[in-house]
Amino acid sequence: MTRIVAVLVRGRMAEAAPPGVDPRQFLEAVAEDTYEMVAGLEFVTPVLITAVPGLDDIVWPGTEIVTIHEDEPLRAVLGRLSGDQVAVINADAPDLPSLLVGKLFRELGRAEITICPAADGGAVALACSLPLPAWADPDLDHPDVVAVLRTQAPGPRRVATISAWHRLRTLDDVERLDPGLEGWDNTRALIAGR
């Protein structure tokens, strides 16, 4: 079974940059931290999906990079991937524990789509088998993506959730980063140096 874990980078993810931090550098730091977590996982293939040019330097050699438009729907993006199962993780979750990625895939044993909700609405990540079920049109930025997907689903229990995490979409979100957690080294260094 081929499992892909794709890090999704959109330009608007730079909006949480703290004062004194260059938004582009912030975006690169959070994207690289999220990618590094993914690339360190066993039994998965990392992929970078990006609407931001010039991020080749943050990925390991040989990593597939899929270029998209800023507002390209996730359904269309998933249609460009090949493999058996995929987890798409928003790049603005640089401190996401790898354990949650494993839980996304595990829940696919009982559901067609698994969501890691964002603590303040939307979703941190989504996992599904490929191709994406025909009934699903996910938007990870929709405030209640789980409810929308459950409405789209033809029956109960098609959409599972795991524990929620947080995304860095506003300056207040940056305050949620826990210095005690491992990882997110690039984001940590950038914020500490401002």
Side-chain angles (χ1 to χ4, degrees):
M1 175 176 292
T2 304
R3 286 183 167 161
I4 296 167
V5 182
V7 176
L8 176 62
V9 185
R10 298 195 191 263
R12 62 182 167 265
M13 293 177 176
E15 294 173 4
V21 174
D22 178 74
R24 170 68 189 216
Q25 289 181 335
F26 179 80
L27 178 62
E28 288 177 4
V30 297
E32 185 170 3
D33 285 337
T34 306
Y35 172 81
E36 287 291 332
M37 180 276 293
V38 166
L41 297 173
E42 295 182 353
F43 311 117
V44 302
T45 302
V47 172
L48 183 70
I49 300 171
T50 181
V52 179
L55 294 182
D56 303 41
D57 290 346
I58 72 166
V59 299
W60 295 1
T63 298
E64 180 182 3
I65 299 174
V66 178
T67 303
I68 62 169
H69 299 291
E70 178 69 20
D71 294 315
E72 188 168 337
L74 186 56
R75 177 167 193 74
V77 172
L78 291 172
R80 296 167 60 182
L81 300 177
S82 59
D84 299 309
Q85 293 180 334
V86 63
V88 177
I89 301 171
N90 278 304
D92 54 5
D95 62 339
L96 181 71
S98 58
L99 175 67
L100 292 181
V101 179
K103 288 183 176 182
L104 283 167
F105 284 118
R106 188 175 68 217
E107 289 300 311
L108 289 180
R110 67 178 187 92
E112 292 181 62
I113 293 178
T114 307
I115 297 286
C116 173
D120 54 355
V124 173
L126 169 147
C128 66
S129 294
L130 291 174
L132 178 70
W135 53 263
D137 189 11
D139 176 0
L140 301 184
D141 291 323
H142 189 284
D144 201 353
V145 61
V146 174
V148 170
L149 282 170
R150 286 182 173 157
T151 300
Q152 293 171 354
R157 300 191 186 122
R158 301 285 181 105
V159 180
T161 59
I162 62 169
S163 302
W165 197 250
H166 52 261
R167 292 174 58 186
L168 306 184
R169 292 182 278 195
T170 68
L171 181 56
D172 289 342
D173 294 335
V174 175
E175 300 302 319
R176 292 182 178 182
L177 291 169
D178 182 351
L181 285 177
E182 291 183 14
W184 65 280
D185 296 340
N186 296 294
T187 306
R188 186 189 321 261
L190 189 63
I191 291 171
R194 64 181 158 135

